Amino acid sequence: AQKVTQAQTEISVVEKEDVTLDCVYETRDTTYYLFWYKQPPSGELVFLIRRNSFDEQNEISGRYSWNFQKSTSSFNFTITASQVVDSAVYFCALSADNAGNMLTFGGGTRLMVKP
Amino acid sequence: GAVVSQHPSWVICKSGTSVKIECRSLDFQATTMFWYRQFPKQSLMLMATSNEGSKATYEQGVEKDKFLINHASLTLSTLTVTSAHPEDSSFYICSVIGGVMAEAFFGQGTRLTVV
């Protein structure tokens, strides 16, 4: 069975601070895919990143960066110089396939960035 | 523009009535769509996999007779919550796999409130 754990339910930071959202996963599959989604108050899910289990390279996209560590089964997400618009719920998710069929979501982390 | 359109965005219904939620794939044909449910301040849980032209596949604990899924065309899947009860109040969101990168696109979600 697959499981995704986001230990931080809520994080509050002040604008311009860096913040890291933790994600730990469990799976018996040797090939799997990890995702991060952003859910703003409006509710829709915004795709942020997809990473396969064979690619442990860290990725940076603007103020966002991701650290995939297979040894600790973690896929953490860092926002540098946070902004108020980053306030949302962030979900880490796991799928056995590349496309994101039948995603297993973590509990989500609510990030509040205060001005 | 939107890739997946979900309708309605929100609905309030009386206990005992049925509610139909539509999920339309706007940009590509989808033989498979997914329905997720999100209770307040909780994560998204996969309810069922909607298969075009055949029966849906339900996750454990999801009543197939209560949550009727119809996927009659390659661009439309409907979820009908029958005999709705207050405990069915939730955020229902669908996803479609598609695009050049074969990724999951989510609808805007439907917030159902049963009174």
Side-chain angles (χ1 to χ4, degrees):
Chain A
Q2 297 181 329
K3 185 178 179 182
V4 178
T5 303
Q6 292 177 256
Q8 307 141 309
T9 52
E10 281 193 14
I11 300 176
S12 181
V13 299
V14 177
E15 211 171 15
K16 296 184 184 176
E17 283 185 16
D18 298 347
V19 59
T20 296
L21 282 58
D22 297 333
C23 173
V24 174
Y25 62 92
E26 295 175 33
T27 180
R28 292 179 182 172
D29 295 326
T30 52
T31 301
Y32 52 89
Y33 298 82
L34 295 160
F35 302 77
W36 274 96
Y37 289 92
K38 175 182 180 180
Q39 186 179 44
S42 52
E44 79 275 18
L45 284 175
V46 178
F47 168 83
L48 296 178
I49 192 172
R50 168 176 53 196
R51 171 69 72 213
N52 74 58
S53 53
F54 297 107
D55 183 1
E56 285 194 72
Q57 275 193 334
N58 292 333
E59 180 154 342
I60 298 174
S61 176
R63 296 184 297 108
Y64 296 169
S65 63
W66 291 270
N67 180 256
F68 177 28
Q69 301 250 346
K70 219 168 169 179
S71 59
T72 56
S73 297
S74 65
F75 186 43
N76 297 338
F77 172 34
T78 297
I79 301 175
T80 304
S82 59
Q83 299 175 3
V84 173
V85 293
D86 295 328
S87 298
V89 180
Y90 291 85
F91 289 99
C92 180
L94 173 68
S95 175
D97 70 65
N98 181 51
N101 290 292
M102 302 176 66
L103 289 159
T104 298
F105 285 88
T109 297
R110 183 176 301 275
L111 173 65
M112 291 172 285
V113 182
K114 299 177 182 176
Chain B
V3 177
V4 180
S5 175
Q6 201 171 325
H7 179 80
S9 299
W10 59 271
V11 57
I12 301 173
C13 71
K14 289 186 178 181
S15 198
T17 61
S18 295
V19 174
K20 181 186 284 188
I21 302 169
E22 293 185 349
C23 178
R24 290 184 184 274
S25 175
L26 302 179
D27 282 8
F28 38 77
Q29 296 181 328
T31 55
T32 304
M33 295 185 184
F34 300 92
W35 286 97
Y36 294 84
R37 177 170 55 184
Q38 183 182 27
F39 290 111
K41 295 194 175 182
Q42 293 189 29
S43 188
L44 292 88
M45 299 294 291
L46 179 67
M47 296 177 66
T49 302
S50 173
N51 305 300
E52 189 265 336
S54 65
K55 291 182 180 179
T57 306
Y58 291 82
E59 295 301 301
Q60 193 172 13
V62 178
E63 300 174 57
K64 62 179 173 36
D65 294 330
K66 181 171 182 61
F67 298 99
L68 301 179
I69 291 173
N70 184 275
H71 194 150
S73 79
L74 289 170
T75 57
L76 174 65
S77 174
T78 61
L79 168 69
T80 301
V81 183
T82 62
S83 187
H85 289 287
E87 56 265 31
D88 297 324
S89 299
S90 184
F91 188 65
Y92 293 85
I93 191 165
C94 66
S95 81
V96 174
I97 307 299
V100 175
M101 300 297 290
E103 59 185 274
F105 293 92
F106 287 85
Q108 311 95 310
T110 299
R111 193 165 302 281
L112 170 64
T113 303
V114 184
V115 296

